[in-house]
Amino acid sequence: MKFIIAIIKPFKLDEVREALSGLGVAGMTVSEVKGFGRQKGQTEIYRGAEYTTNMLPKVKIEIAASDDLAPQIVELIQQTASTEAIGDGKIFVLDLASATRIRTGETGDTAL
Amino acid sequence: MKFIIAIIKPFKLDEVREALSGLGVAGMTVSEVKGFGRQKGQTEIYRGAEYTTNMLPKVKIEIAASDDLAPQIVELIQQTASTEAIGDGKIFVLDLASATRIRTGETGDTAL
Amino acid sequence: MKFIIAIIKPFKLDEVREALSGLGVAGMTVSEVKGFGRQKGQTEIYRGAEYTTNMLPKVKIEIAASDDLAPQIVELIQQTASTEAIGDGKIFVLDLASATRIRTGETGDTAL
Amino acid sequence: MIRKMIGGVAGAGLALGAASTAFAQAAMVQAPTVEQQATMVNKGDTTWMLVSSVLVLMMSIPGLALFYGGLVRTKNMLSVLMQVFMIVSIAGLLWATYGYSLAFTGGSPFIGGFGKVLMAGVTSGTYAATFSNNVYIPELSYFVFQMTFAMITPALFIGAFAERIKFTPLMVFTVLWSTLAYYPIAHMVWYWAGPDFLAGQPGDWGYLYGKGALDFAGGTVVHINAGIAGLVGCLVIGPRLGFGKESTPPHSLVMTMIGASLLWVGWFGFNAGSNLESNGVAAVAFVNTMLATCAAAVSWAMIEQIVHKKPSMLGAASGAVAGLVAITPASGLGAPMTSIVLGLIVSPVCFFFVTTVKSKFKYDDTLDVFGIHCVGGIIGALGTAIVADPKLGGQGYFDYTVFPAVAVAPEAYSISSQFMVQLQAVGITLLWSGIVTGVLLFVLDKTMGLRPSEEVEREGLDINEHGERAYNY
Amino acid sequence: MIRKMIGGVAGAGLALGAASTAFAQAAMVQAPTVEQQATMVNKGDTTWMLVSSVLVLMMSIPGLALFYGGLVRTKNMLSVLMQVFMIVSIAGLLWATYGYSLAFTGGSPFIGGFGKVLMAGVTSGTYAATFSNNVYIPELSYFVFQMTFAMITPALFIGAFAERIKFTPLMVFTVLWSTLAYYPIAHMVWYWAGPDFLAGQPGDWGYLYGKGALDFAGGTVVHINAGIAGLVGCLVIGPRLGFGKESTPPHSLVMTMIGASLLWVGWFGFNAGSNLESNGVAAVAFVNTMLATCAAAVSWAMIEQIVHKKPSMLGAASGAVAGLVAITPASGLGAPMTSIVLGLIVSPVCFFFVTTVKSKFKYDDTLDVFGIHCVGGIIGALGTAIVADPKLGGQGYFDYTVFPAVAVAPEAYSISSQFMVQLQAVGITLLWSGIVTGVLLFVLDKTMGLRPSEEVEREGLDINEHGERAYNY
Amino acid sequence: MIRKMIGGVAGAGLALGAASTAFAQAAMVQAPTVEQQATMVNKGDTTWMLVSSVLVLMMSIPGLALFYGGLVRTKNMLSVLMQVFMIVSIAGLLWATYGYSLAFTGGSPFIGGFGKVLMAGVTSGTYAATFSNNVYIPELSYFVFQMTFAMITPALFIGAFAERIKFTPLMVFTVLWSTLAYYPIAHMVWYWAGPDFLAGQPGDWGYLYGKGALDFAGGTVVHINAGIAGLVGCLVIGPRLGFGKESTPPHSLVMTMIGASLLWVGWFGFNAGSNLESNGVAAVAFVNTMLATCAAAVSWAMIEQIVHKKPSMLGAASGAVAGLVAITPASGLGAPMTSIVLGLIVSPVCFFFVTTVKSKFKYDDTLDVFGIHCVGGIIGALGTAIVADPKLGGQGYFDYTVFPAVAVAPEAYSISSQFMVQLQAVGITLLWSGIVTGVLLFVLDKTMGLRPSEEVEREGLDINEHGERAYNY
Ligand SMILES: Nc1ncnc2c1ncn2[C@@H]1O[C@H](COP(=O)(O)OP(=O)(O)O)[C@@H](O)[C@H]1O
Ligand SMILES: Nc1ncnc2c1ncn2[C@@H]1O[C@H](COP(=O)(O)OP(=O)(O)O)[C@@H](O)[C@H]1O
Ligand SMILES: Nc1ncnc2c1ncn2[C@@H]1O[C@H](COP(=O)(O)OP(=O)(O)O)[C@@H](O)[C@H]1O
């Protein structure tokens, strides 16, 4: 099994989620994060004090998936989330040693 | 070492934390996330505009643990966090390559 | 490639980020988390009801890095984020199976 | 709003004189006709009553709603705001329908009549009496001022069982409780024929008014009344899920601070507005309110400094509200310096109730409606007997059964006998409102059900009862 | 602010008499000199006008700003607050520059003259007429009261195209729209020579005033006027990116509730202040405002209960605002019981517009400026014809072309003919303001450009247009 | 609140006449007895003073607290709210204890006496003078109006050293500073015997009043006084940890906007209330306040547009406050059009101070108390000399040493000599308050310690000093 972490632009979330549903991905976990990268942040000015944090709001999606489905998920996210502008984000894939569904105690692919 | 990621229902957090303390788990990191899965979300209606996001508030717990302790932790979380209702969440286990305690620079199991 | 997760004290974030920039780390993803560990939390009292949550605000940094750079990153974070006081946090390193840049579809080290 | 008050330096004639020297020379008119009353209206008073009504409305929305809302958990924030907003609206309509008539027309000493149901005969050309002979205000300004009191009172008790009550039954309860508890108590304490009429109609008054109970702006009618309803309510409804186990810190003390501040700001309408005239006594009520509140905020912060070593914003806000509650019945009757003493005393007592007593008896009075409003109201109601004493600089009371009214002689004022009267008013309010609340909630629980399901309570009332989230950042 | 109003029990003489019996005996003065007017001022009225101005300012900042701001997404919160804040400031300066002169001096029936440009001749020693013969208020208090109306009206329409307009063109539009739409309509509906002067100067009035249109506090001038501008604006500017696809829940209903509450609180200055005098009719306007609002909040909640099974905080707040809008033109003219009916009716109609009609025609009126302000304003303006009928307890109107003014005889009041007049006023306002808005925005779009780039809209106006974030928790 | 003011068209007699023609015929009374004063009270004035006091309280809580609180970081939010809330409470109690006596009784030109300590002799039957001969208000309404000024002034300076001061020493400083800086300056600028008494008691006035300094509503007494205390305070206490290195964006500009709006709304009580009477001059002060504020908000936004290309909400709010500060001393003295000019000028100057000057000298005036309140106050105080000139439409001043008072002849008014007087008032206030603050804080730092530990400062004052968190979402 794989554990996929995707960092995307916030307004792309709905689109990505729908695309993944189409692929049969039943679940995912989403959180708000701040991204630091090549994309330049906006400058904020408060009474003359300028802050350019370069920390931009992003959304992180975490998906546990079977080894089969994982590559398709990565590809689909890459295609859907891309705007071809800097700051579109990244997809990271890690190996997942085990997965458990809390409700039933099921483990492995069936737990996803 | 293992890196355990558990997604649970928010109101179960205190209970899970206490149970883990009992097991001798000294530390963990918690964050608020939104979960998408089988569990249906509530419908929100604002002046007639209906939103059913199916994004439900969940809590994510991350625990780095020794290989020995990891299975017990998973089991304990599964038992404590279960309400036997849909949406109870998941536990994912990843392999942890290394761990460092920032204060001392210690690494490995003693860093946890 | 490695996936580095560092939990640090919030006020150290700016310093750590600058140090990493110096090392040539081009990107990272940051989120707010609550940490539970040896460090004791402050007691809150609301009309006589005392809460000592021991859940302290921390910042989580996630960095995908090449195998070469990873150890240096870990060391640098450890040095920069340390205040030698309890609660300084941890650095965890996981193996990263793959990385993709959404904008271009590039993968591997060049995607970071 | 109390039986025995008058403005100015030395009595009725002069109070009037202050308004217009033209009157000073004119002969006083006993039981004036409506046409005569029309000439006894001062636009400064009318403005004051309208402004005071605005201020009291601001106390409930957004004041009270925020004060309470900030203290609950995020998931129940809107439920609190909504309960206050709708109680205010419903109680307002009810007041126009029959509330005003039941509270402020004659009838029995215990409840008014139906003469003004649907505001019959209440027009721009009718007038309400004040506490000075031959001073009147437009009746509609009196109607709406009193309306704002009837709107905020039932909104007070929701704090006691916040986070765990169904919306619709609560609205039904509001209607029933207003009818069976608020209107009768308001009638018993505040109804009288007016200073120009009482001499000719002795006995045309509410039961407690007739006994001589002093309640300048609503210590019994508003705070004890709602406070005991809150206590009984939280007992009948039971504690929240996880009460005493899960931690339930206030989700936004910022909102609570805004709410407390607006309560303080608006309360001048409540207290000084209750003088019904804009004169020196209104200023007395204003100053007393200010000083008691300052003192109570300070004394709550100090007791926290002593007990916990940390004075808290919630403590200061709680103290301010406790001070406002305590000074309410005494506001136009006490003196500035005794008001400070009242404020200094009320906070430690309320602190003791919301900490020690509550944790000892383990009732889940979520937002301390009992501990602050009922306990603070009792201290104020009983303290009124003391601070009203003219020998302590208090305003005493007036005998309106003679025309024109005469002030009590300082040496004739007896603290102990006034105290007994106050005790009786407190006791009757506690008993009557407590019983009415208990019976009503018991019946509603058996019929409509008061409590949401466990799952709903856990997920929060906002999303389940109202289909919304307070924040979508 | 309407042509045909008077206070008190039975007419001009008595209304005055209520203020001071000294006057009652004095002979009435037709067309008094400024020196004579100075003796016809009552400080109670002056206080009331100043307080009312404070209240109306509070309606816009922070009231309206929060009501609107809470409903947008976090990234556009400050843009809404800033737009309201700056519109208020700019419209205020404009009012002093030439707005007051164009709206409230004679000239043509359609627009005033330039006599008071830069406030020429408006000093602490000049006076403005009220609706009672021989009752005056300091002109500056009238100036500033009207100013607060001119400040809030253009702030209303921004809700229709919130989250997608550039700041600078919006400010330019505010200036132009105030000049071409607000001042003319205000002049047409509200300008007249005053009760002591009209007999001697028949025809010195605004076009719609002369027709007999009734608009006590701004149903046409404020709400329909701004509401139609909003609709036209959102059509010209087009829907937000992702409209109908992305979900855009309100980022903070707490702010919206605070805003709605402060609107309610401040609206008493708007409506009862429009009486210009602090008397029984001001109290009528006050009570009508209170009751219509309560009724509309309740009826919106009830229709949600029926349709969605969940009454919502946003619904209650929307209902309250709809009720406030609807009662505005009728506030000093209707009776309490008919005001309740008006309130009960307006919410279902507005609900129908913001849900069914909007989703059917798919215009992106972001914050329902049309659905609530324009539709509610129309209902109020037309309903005024009915509720003003003295036979239904309404206040009727006064004939000021005779001196002193005389009240319409109840049997002479015709609902149907008044209704036709109201319809005409509504129609002219819709047409004129709609066309002006459309033309202005079209030109501005072609010249300065109205819409920010897609990227800016996506990232939010706060950071891009103002260089700030609303929250940095 | 200034030595030389009068209402109405042409002077004392007429101002009175406006209130009631009955008086116009009556002979004027020099040095009236209390009984006579009781007949010289107008309820419209009393209402106005009570309402104004409510408005000024709302300026501090929640207004100022939110304006400041929104600008700090989340972890220090409650500390700011708590500091304001408790300073208000403590300063209120102090005022009743001896503040009022020290400020507003005779004695020396530099400080008052102890005659009214513990409010001795201040009752519902005593009266305070206004700026018109033979017009009085209840003394308690004057007492409480002035009290709200004494409550907000020390709350102003906390912004300069926010986020890094211990709570208890700050409270001690509040008591000492009020005693040694606020009461003397208030006495020097505002104390005088009253218009009916001055002719008989020449010289019974405060030092700066006697010099002829004009400060209508507190430019020197409130803003310069608190502003310089802020600057000295932030220098003594030193910059925050990480100042200039860590970014410290405002945690909630929404709260700041609410606060700024409520400051604006409440400031009408502050400025127009300072007229002490509800007449045409109160309306002048009201209009001047409105227009200067609009102008300053616009000019701050414009300078940001020029310098940064982005007008910001914080800028608009800062401008509005700067405008309010600047118009304060001039509010009842200037004319509408010159007020606009004053507003347009103050923002660029303050902008220059909070950006260029502050970053050049690197003092950590956290919330720009110096840059806005002190600098804005100085501009206002000096500008008053110009705008008060009757030749520019200003109100001039009155000579109260004759009875009845006479207005200065326009040609007798000299801007330059008035300017020198103003300069002197500004200089004395800067020096005296600056020195008092420096000495007090130095001593307190050596004894109690002013600054929390590094760790506490880092974690935030909320949790460490008050045991609470502002938000638990
Ligand atoms: N090495 C990295 N490790 C973790 N997250 C990263 C890394 N590099 C970039 N990110 C995340 O991806 C986001 C986009 O990266 P950025 O360099 O701005 O653009 P792009 O993905 O188009 O190259 C960043 O905001 C950050 O959240
Ligand atoms: N494949 C997945 N990857 C990551 N998180 C998941 C996945 N499936 C479910 N989750 C998380 O687990 C939560 C519960 O899942 P859900 O399908 O609703 O119920 P259950 O766990 O009872 O099957 C989801 O809200 C989501 O946060
Ligand atoms: N086993 C663990 N797994 C995940 N996070 C941990 C673990 N132990 C500690 N942490 C995180 O590290 C933070 C610091 O740990 P703590 O024990 O307080 O101090 P120290 O790192 O100095 O030993 C905690 O607040 C928590 O966020």
Side-chain angles (χ1 to χ4, degrees), chain E residues 338-414:
Chain E
T338 51
S339 299
I340 291 179
V341 175
L342 196 58
L344 290 175
I345 287 170
V346 71
S347 280
V349 180
C350 289
F351 180 84
F352 176 71
F353 269 83
V354 306
T355 56
T356 314
V357 174
K358 187 163 94 162
S359 76
K360 169 130 196 165
F361 291 99
K362 296 195 192 311
Y363 53 91
D364 185 14
D365 178 4
T366 318
L367 309 179
D368 294 310
V369 175
F370 175 71
I372 292 181
H373 289 275
C374 196
V375 172
I378 293 172
I379 290 170
L382 301 180
T384 298
I386 301 166
V387 302
D389 190 340
K391 296 185 287 299
L392 299 174
Q395 304 288 321
Y397 54 77
F398 279 76
D399 184 353
Y400 287 116
T401 59
V402 295
F403 178 87
V406 291
V408 66
E411 59 283 3
Y413 185 96
S414 153

Side-chain angles (χ1 to χ4, degrees), chain B residues 3 25-30 62-65 100-104 111-112, chain C residues 7 33-40 54 56 58 85-90 92:
Chain B
F3 193 77
V25 174
M28 67 187 75
T29 301
V30 174
E62 290 167 306
I63 310 170
T100 311
R101 186 193 305 276
I102 290 176
R103 170 163 49 100
T104 56
L112 302 181
Chain C
I7 319 283
V33 296
K34 301 232 156 139
F36 177 76
R38 279 166 198 84
Q39 188 189 4
K40 285 288 145 279
N54 284 348
L56 295 156
K58 302 279 169 190
I86 217 160
D88 278 348
K90 315 276 177 186
F92 304 120

Side-chain angles (χ1 to χ4, degrees), chain E residues 38 41 43 46-47 50 54 57 61-62 82 85 89 118-119 124 127 140 147 255 463-464 466 468 470-473, chain F residues 9 18 42 44-45 74 250-254 261 264 268 277-278 284 286 290-291 294 310-314 336:
Chain E
V41 173
K43 286 176 158 182
T46 305
T47 300
L50 296 181
V54 170
L57 179 66
I61 54 162
M82 180 69 171
F85 205 88
S89 300
L118 296 178
M119 301 179 68
S124 63
Y127 302 90
L140 283 169
M147 180 174 173
M255 290 300 146
I463 190 72
N464 283 291
H466 307 295
E468 301 165 303
Y471 311 97
N472 289 289
Y473 282 127
Chain F
V9 205
N42 183 295
D45 289 338
T74 309
H251 92 281
S252 174
L253 285 181
V254 175
S261 300
W264 189 344
F268 294 107
E277 265 186 278
S278 178
V284 169
F286 197 112
M290 187 70 104
L291 288 173
C294 290
K310 288 177 183 172
S312 73
M313 182 68 246
L314 177 55

Side-chain angles (χ1 to χ4, degrees), chain F residues 13-75:
Chain F
L14 201 48
L16 236 61
S20 161
T21 43
F23 282 119
Q25 284 90 41
M28 299 286 285
V29 184
Q30 191 172 351
T33 63
V34 171
E35 285 69 27
Q36 287 171 319
Q37 290 173 12
T39 67
M40 296 168 173
V41 173
N42 183 295
K43 286 175 158 183
D45 289 338
T46 305
T47 300
W48 178 236
M49 292 319 294
L50 296 182
V51 172
S52 292
S53 306
V54 169
L55 289 173
V56 181
L57 179 66
M58 190 165 78
M59 287 174 67
S60 34
I61 55 163
L64 180 70
L66 295 179
F67 179 65
Y68 277 177
L71 294 174
V72 301
R73 286 165 290 176
T74 309
K75 63 184 177 184

Side-chain angles (χ1 to χ4, degrees), chain A residues 3 25-30 62-65 100-104 106 111-112, chain B residues 7-8 33-40 54 56-58 85-90 92:
Chain A
F3 193 77
V25 174
M28 68 187 74
T29 300
V30 174
E62 289 167 306
I63 310 170
T100 311
R101 186 193 305 277
I102 291 175
R103 171 164 48 100
T104 55
E106 288 163 283
L112 302 179
Chain B
I7 319 283
I8 62 169
V33 296
K34 300 231 156 138
F36 177 76
R38 279 166 198 84
Q39 187 189 4
K40 287 288 147 276
N54 283 347
L56 295 156
K58 301 280 169 190
I86 218 160
D88 278 350
K90 314 277 177 186
F92 304 121

